[in-house]
């Protein structure tokens, strides 16, 4: 029996934070804009397309961004505004389907296999959504349309900004075959490097790998990689999926060996993670760090505090305490990561804490 083909849309707002700032301040339009702080310890939270042409990107230290783009204009983030605009966009989605999986303030998956409104096609729905977003918020969005989540997300990147692309079932496997594995959502820089070392550079190379070999090298993720290389992704759009953690990782172009270099990365990661927490109005009591060495061995360390994380400086301090025992490292470090879990609303009522046995 042939399974009914799902119709999935991935909507991604274009340079969301920076675009909101340019919308609200006409003097910023057409100029390279970074959301963040220009200070010596500052980090770019988001960059406009004008800034991206100079290589400016999120999580980049502000001093580096200014060196690459001397005319860069920094503006402080306004997460309350971003959340309000995101709510407007979510309301537009809900006119067309109840099956919505937000990934962040600026992107979401929609299952429109059975839409709420009589629409001729998923492509037509995506077009209407983008038109309504622009009409009601003054912002542009890009959309990808396909028969699964993996391909819909690839498609939304294909015609950015302010574009739309469709990957049909007949196109799926061939579309994936020609892409580098670095372009696959779900394959990060470190995994892509491991695949490259195994001679897996494109989707076609990945498709040629027996599942047994992928299991040997990539463990439980092997089934997912085996499927997406064939244009297959059975994951459903998960409505009201509870977020369990907020985190970020950095893979280094050159292995790091000293604490001074690590501190720069820790500061940038803490700022990035805390910005994501602020965008979702969340904090957490547990901080976990990850270190991956150049032989792919990995250490994960975590600590749960009595109080939730207060700000990026507090997160940085907690992370430093967890990373410090790993230095000096016995071998080069290729990746570091920070995650906040035990989530709760920022400023909300604290969850009950277990009392200590001894004072």
């Amino acid at each position: 029996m042939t399974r009914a083909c799902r119709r999935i849309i991935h909507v991604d707002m274009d340079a969301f934070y920076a675009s909101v700032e340019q919308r609200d301040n006409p003097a910023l339009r057409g100029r390279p804009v970074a959301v963040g702080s220009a200070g010596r310890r500052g980090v770019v939270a988001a960059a406009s397309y004008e800034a991206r042409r100079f290589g400016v990107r999120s999580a980049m230290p502000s001093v580096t961004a200014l060196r690459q783009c001397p005319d860069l204009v920094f503006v402080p983030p306004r997460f309350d505004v971003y959340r309000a605009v995101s709510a407007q966009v979510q309301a537009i989605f809900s006119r067309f389907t109840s099956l919505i999986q937000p990934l962040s303030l600026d992107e979401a998956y929609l299952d429109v296999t059975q839409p709420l409104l009589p629409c001729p096609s998923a492509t037509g729905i995506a077009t209407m959504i983008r038109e309504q977003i622009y009409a009601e918020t003054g912002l542009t969005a890009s959309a990808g349309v396909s028969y699964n989540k993996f391909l819909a997300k690839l498609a939304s990147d294909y015609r950015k900004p302010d574009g739309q692309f469709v990957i049909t079932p007949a196109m799926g496997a061939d579309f994936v075959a020609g892409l580098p594995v670095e372009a696959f959502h779900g394959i990060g820089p470190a995994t892509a490097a491991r695949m490259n070392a195994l001679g897996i550079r494109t989707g076609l190379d990945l498709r040629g790998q027996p599942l047994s070999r992928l299991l040997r090298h990539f463990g439980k993720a092997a089934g997912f990689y085996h499927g997406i290389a064939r244009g297959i992704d059975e994951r459903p759009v998960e409505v009201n999926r509870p977020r369990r953690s907020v985190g970020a990782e950095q893979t280094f172009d050159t292995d790091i060996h000293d604490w001074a270099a690590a501190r720069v990365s820790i500061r940038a990661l803490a700022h990035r993670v805390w910005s994501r927490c602020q965008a979702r109005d969340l904090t957490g009591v547990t901080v976990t760090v990850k270190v991956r060495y150049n032989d792919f061995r990995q250490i994960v360390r975590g600590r749960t505090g009595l109080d939730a994380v207060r700000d990026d400086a507090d997160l940085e301090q907690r992370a430093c305490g967890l990373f410090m025992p790993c230095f000096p490292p016995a071998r080069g470090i290729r990746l570091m990561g920070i995650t906040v879990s035990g989530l709760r609303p920022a400023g909300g009522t604290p969850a009950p804490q277990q009392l200590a046995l001894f004072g």
Side-chain angles (χ1 to χ4, degrees):
M1 186 173 106
T2 303
R3 182 172 13 206
C5 183
R6 289 186 297 167
R7 301 193 296 172
I8 308 296
I9 301 172
H10 179 259
V11 180
D12 195 359
M13 301 297 291
D14 298 321
F16 182 51
Y17 296 174
S19 294
V20 171
E21 298 303 333
Q22 290 177 315
R23 179 198 68 175
D24 293 349
N25 184 353
L28 298 176
R29 295 173 192 170
R31 301 177 66 185
V33 173
V35 176
S37 168
R40 183 175 61 84
R41 291 168 54 101
V43 178
V44 174
S48 68
Y49 283 100
E50 295 87 351
R52 294 181 191 186
R53 296 190 190 107
F54 292 87
V56 178
R57 53 179 173 76
S58 62
M60 175 180 282
S62 299
V63 291
T64 304
L66 284 166
R67 191 161 52 242
Q68 295 186 189
C69 181
D71 295 328
L72 189 63
V73 180
F74 275 87
V75 295
R78 299 182 297 154
F79 289 106
D80 55 339
V81 176
Y82 308 148
R83 283 193 289 269
V85 177
S86 180
Q88 284 183 274
V89 173
Q90 295 286 329
I92 292 170
F93 295 160
S94 65
R95 297 169 192 167
F96 297 89
T97 179
S98 58
L99 299 178
I100 303 165
Q101 181 184 337
L103 302 180
S104 61
L105 290 182
D106 60 346
E107 62 175 320
Y109 289 114
L110 288 69
D111 187 327
V112 295
T113 308
Q114 296 180 317
L116 299 177
L117 298 176
C119 300
S121 68
T123 304
I125 293 173
T127 299
M128 286 189 282
I129 287 173
R130 291 175 53 241
E131 289 174 347
Q132 291 185 24
I133 288 173
Y134 184 74
E136 296 180 30
T137 71
L139 302 170
T140 63
S142 296
V145 183
S146 196
Y147 57 96
N148 64 43
K149 289 165 69 172
F150 173 72
L151 291 173
K153 186 162 177 67
L154 282 181
S156 68
D157 283 335
Y158 203 64
R159 293 277 169 81
K160 262 189 166 293
D162 195 21
Q164 185 169 308
F165 190 69
V166 180
I167 301 176
T168 67
M171 296 166 57
D174 289 340
F175 186 87
V176 170
L179 292 177
V181 293
E182 291 86 348
F184 289 6
H185 177 63
I187 297 180
T191 301
R194 291 175 65 189
M195 287 186 174
N196 289 172
L198 294 168
I200 305 170
R201 300 188 177 278
T202 67
L204 186 60
D205 294 335
L206 185 57
R207 190 190 308 171
Q209 305 300 309
L211 181 58
S212 58
R213 187 177 191 228
L214 295 178
L215 282 166
R216 189 162 61 251
H217 289 282
F218 302 105
K220 63 183 180 181
F224 176 70
Y225 299 153
H226 188 266
I228 61 176
R230 292 157 175 78
I232 299 170
D233 177 12
E234 301 293 350
R235 295 173 301 161
V237 170
E238 298 180 79
V239 182
N240 297 325
R241 180 184 181 187
R243 177 170 285 277
R244 297 178 181 176
S245 63
V246 179
E249 298 178 350
Q250 180 179 359
T251 301
F252 306 108
D253 294 331
T254 304
D255 293 347
I256 66 170
H257 298 81
D258 62 272
W259 181 242
R263 280 300 306 268
V264 174
S265 176
I266 294 167
R267 184 175 301 131
L269 284 168
H271 181 86
R272 190 168 156 198
V273 173
W274 187 247
S275 293
R276 292 177 177 179
C277 288
Q278 284 185 301
R280 297 165 177 82
D281 198 26
L282 293 171
T283 184
V285 293
T286 301
V287 176
T288 304
V289 302
K290 178 164 68 175
V291 173
R292 184 174 295 151
Y293 298 101
N294 55 17
D295 61 358
F296 292 100
R297 294 182 186 178
Q298 185 168 289
I299 291 176
V300 176
R301 301 166 55 88
R303 183 173 296 143
T304 299
L306 291 176
D307 299 315
V309 176
R310 297 185 301 276
D311 51 32
D312 55 352
D314 183 28
L315 178 56
E316 179 184 345
Q317 183 178 11
R318 298 190 195 199
C320 281
L322 292 166
F323 277 120
M324 199 173 294
C326 301
F327 287 82
R331 59 189 73 85
I333 293 174
R334 62 176 294 119
L335 176 145
M336 296 174 69
I338 298 174
T339 299
V340 175
S341 57
L343 299 179
R344 62 184 60 173
T349 303
Q353 297 287 344
Q354 182 175 346
L355 296 176
L357 183 60
F358 302 102

